[in-house]
Structures are given as structure tokens and as C-alpha cells.
Amino acid sequence: MMGLRFHFRFLVLCACLILPITQCLAHTCLPEEHAALFIFGDSLFDAGNNNYINATTNFPANVWPYGETFFKYPTGRASNGRLIPDFIGGAGALFENSSRRGWVIDLNTQLKYFKNMETVLKRTLGEAQTKKLLSRAVYLFSIGTNDYAAPFSTNSSLLRFSTHEEYVDMVIGNFTTVIKEIHRKGGRKFGFLNLPPAGYFPSTKATMPQNSEEITALVKRHNKALSHALQILASQLEGFKYSYTNLYNFITERMNNPLKYGFKEGRMGCCGSGPYRGIQSCGRKRSINDQYELCGNPSEYLFFDSAHPSEKANEQLAKLLWNGNLDVTWPYNLKALFGQKQREIN
């Protein structure tokens, strides 16, 4: 699965199956039967794109000890090692919650980068081959957590002037618009993670515990709305197939029962400071206030820092995304999506 890789500055990753080679993109050749993996997402998926924008002062992941376990140096991944896409092959759905503050690359901007790459592919491979590549690809999304946590930490006016239902509808509406645009470009196979229990993250419990229940209520409403929206899209869009993975239950289970899944600690971060090591100080040593604590063995922790899973947790989730049963991911897992033939989705 982890075949040829094309790294573009903002579109995180395109991974291809290793099969007979017939087409070449620049100096890299494409297999005759291949499936690209396009990643759209937040810091759960970001392999270092935020290194290129003004994000390092607020949420640095390109400093030690990030990357210490696997890469042995910081790559910009918000973990001690690999992320979910690294095993399989940061942003908000709303512009207000991401790019306006220069923290991360929002979903609409990521769509723009995808369209730019489509142009590059057409120029190099031609119209027909590009259409084939895009139709066989799987488009994997992890997006939305920032939309529900950021308004509380930044004193945003978004939630003050809308009900929970209106706000979730706005987030889902922006998300589905992007999905429809990718479908219009030829995308047919999509993978989605629902949102984790961000209201109970170490960062939330340490810095805004008074908002924990409201964030949780928003996340639950979002997950229900997303599931419903995907069912509607499947009935409306020709050939639309998707995988929906229950990240909320995955994290909650391991927070409540860490030993069952091979962890010793499910509620505290490995790296950080303050209560639960939930203050985002990991890697910072500019002043006394920026000192941080680092655990001895990150693989014993569900969270590496105040809000991001450890490499071990990412690996467990990647396996469930890839070939998990219907209790975890439905109606298809990613392995089944990649196995869908083009003629089945046209």
C-alpha cells in the first residue's frame, strides 16, 4: 500500500499501489492499476504543512521532542512519531477558525491546492489519465475539531450569534460543499473520521474546563449531522462511496480503559505542562513559563501532547481505518474502498 509518494507543498500526500508501470509524472512513474490517496485534514493528518505558514509560534510541532520515537527529529507532525496517513499511505472546515489567524490551512484552501495539483496532473499526464487517477483515488478527511474548540479559546463571535444547530449546520454545509466539488472533479471514494471527544482532551481540561460539556455537545451534534449528511450524499451523488470511522468512540474507549488497549495513561498528555500536561508548551523553552514535562515512554500514553495521539494510538487507529469491522468503520473500510473497481463507481 505504501508505494510511490508525491509530496506537494500543501496537499499532504498521494500514495499509490505498486503495480506494473506505464505512466510517468516528471521523474516518478505511475502504475497501470493504481489508487491515489489524497489527504485533507487538520493536525491529526498534517505531515508538516504548517511548517510553511505562521503556525510555529502558536502550535509548534517542528521542534523537539516531536518526532522523537520514529523519525528521531521533528518533522512537523503533531506526535512523537508517525501519523495515521503514514501507516495507511490541520485545519478547520470554516475559514474563521483557521486561516484568518494564520494557524492552519483551512479546508477551502486545501481544495484550492487540490485544484492546482489537478492542473499539474493534466499538463503532465493528459486529460484522460488524470480523470482516471482522480476517479480511482480515495479522498481521506479529518476535519472539524478546530471549529468547535477554537471559538472558546479565541473568544470568537461565531457561537455567540448562532444556536448550536445553526453553527453545526454551517460547518457541515461548508464541508459538504467541498465534497461535492471533489466529486464534480471525478472523486468517487471518500474516507471520513468523525470528531473525537475534544471536550475531554487534556488541553480542554487544563485551560477551559468550564466549556468541556458545551464542546462535547457540539461534537456529538456534528457527528450525528455528518453521518446523516453522508447518507444523503450517497443517495444524491453518482457513484459516491464512503468510509465513516468512529474516532469519538476510539478515543473515549482508550481514555476510559487505557490498560485494555496497551496504555498506562489515557487522560494525561506525555508532553506538556500544567494540569493533565494539558497546556500546549511541548517543545518550548523560551522562558520559565514555557518549560514543559516529558514522560519517559510515549507509547504508554494515549496522548503525546495536550491534544494529539501518540504514535501507538495512531497506529491502532490506522489499522481500524484500513480493515476494521462494521462496529468501527462503515459501510466500507479503506481496504474495501481501495478494492472497489472503477466500473463499480462510475
Side-chain angles (χ1 to χ4, degrees):
M1 172 60 198
M2 290 303 295
L4 308 178
R5 294 183 178 184
F6 314 119
H7 288 275
F8 296 86
R9 187 169 181 180
F10 297 106
L11 186 63
V12 180
L13 176 67
C14 167
C16 299
L17 298 175
I18 302 176
L19 288 167
I21 293 172
T22 60
Q23 284 287 334
C24 291
L25 173 62
H27 299 295
T28 306
C29 292
L30 297 174
E32 173 67 21
E33 295 292 335
H34 63 275
L37 175 63
F38 292 107
I39 307 293
F40 296 81
D42 49 27
S43 54
L44 197 64
F45 281 178
D46 181 29
N49 288 341
N50 280 353
N51 293 345
Y52 299 101
I53 62 174
N54 186 27
T56 55
T57 56
N58 292 302
F59 301 106
N62 58 350
V63 293
W64 188 263
Y66 289 98
E68 65 167 7
T69 300
F70 182 79
F71 300 100
K72 309 303 180 186
Y73 65 92
T75 65
R77 290 167 170 82
S79 180
N80 58 299
R82 290 163 289 182
L83 303 179
I84 295 163
D86 292 311
F87 291 106
I88 295 174
L94 299 181
F95 179 77
E96 168 74 20
N97 293 324
S98 46
S99 287
R100 186 178 66 83
R101 293 189 301 275
W103 287 2
V104 291
I105 304 166
D106 68 282
L107 185 56
N108 283 323
T109 303
Q110 292 182 43
L111 177 63
K112 182 180 74 173
Y113 297 145
F114 170 72
K115 290 179 179 179
N116 291 344
M117 202 192 75
E118 179 195 21
T119 301
V120 174
L121 290 171
K122 285 181 179 179
R123 189 184 312 134
T124 310
L125 298 178
E127 190 86 27
Q129 287 297 321
T130 297
K131 183 177 180 180
K132 184 184 294 186
L133 185 150
L134 296 180
S135 68
R136 291 177 177 176
V138 172
Y139 301 83
L140 185 60
F141 289 83
S142 170
I143 208 84
T145 301
N146 292 333
D147 292 300
Y148 301 107
F152 295 98
S153 62
T154 61
N155 198 28
S156 169
S157 61
L158 283 175
L159 276 172
R160 291 201 302 270
F161 295 105
S162 58
T163 66
H164 281 192
E165 183 177 8
E166 291 169 340
Y167 186 74
V168 170
D169 285 347
M170 182 167 52
V171 174
I172 295 294
N174 196 63
F175 193 7
T176 54
T177 297
V178 170
I179 295 168
K180 289 177 180 178
E181 181 63 16
I182 295 172
H183 180 272
R184 191 180 70 82
K185 293 289 184 180
R188 293 295 182 268
K189 298 183 283 187
F190 296 80
F192 303 95
L193 278 72
N194 70 8
L195 300 188
Y200 303 123
F201 278 4
S203 57
T204 309
K205 293 188 293 182
T207 62
M208 44 184 179
Q210 71 279 8
N211 302 121
S212 176
E213 295 306 320
E214 188 172 1
I215 293 172
T216 301
L218 282 164
V219 164
K220 287 182 176 180
R221 182 179 287 272
H222 172 98
N223 288 343
K224 184 177 180 179
L226 176 59
S227 179
H228 181 63
L230 293 178
Q231 293 174 46
I232 292 175
L233 289 174
S235 67
Q236 292 178 341
L237 302 181
E238 180 184 1
F240 181 86
K241 304 282 186 181
Y242 71 94
S243 172
Y244 178 88
T245 300
N246 197 334
L247 177 60
Y248 188 98
N249 282 3
F250 174 91
I251 296 293
T252 301
E253 270 287 304
R254 284 157 180 77
M255 290 180 71
N256 294 336
N257 307 287
L259 293 178
K260 179 180 177 180
Y261 299 96
F263 301 101
K264 290 186 177 180
E265 176 57 58
R267 296 181 178 273
M268 178 182 289
C270 165
C271 184
S273 57
Y276 305 98
R277 294 198 188 113
I279 296 176
Q280 182 58 39
S281 58
C282 187
R284 302 185 188 184
K285 282 191 173 181
R286 293 190 303 273
S287 69
I288 295 298
N289 293 332
D290 287 332
Q291 296 293 326
Y292 63 90
E293 301 172 358
L294 179 64
C295 71
N297 185 359
S299 67
E300 295 178 346
Y301 285 69
L302 172 62
F303 294 99
F304 177 65
D305 64 10
S306 63
H308 301 100
S310 64
E311 181 186 62
K312 181 176 179 177
N314 283 329
E315 182 176 13
Q316 289 182 4
L317 180 55
K319 289 178 179 178
L320 293 176
L321 273 164
W322 180 247
N323 60 6
N325 60 33
L326 292 175
D327 292 333
V328 181
T329 181
W330 64 88
Y332 299 96
N333 55 37
L334 287 185
K335 183 178 180 181
L337 269 190
F338 274 103
Q340 291 280 319
K341 300 295 183 182
Q342 188 181 13
R343 62 177 178 270
E344 295 178 66
I345 61 171
N346 280 342

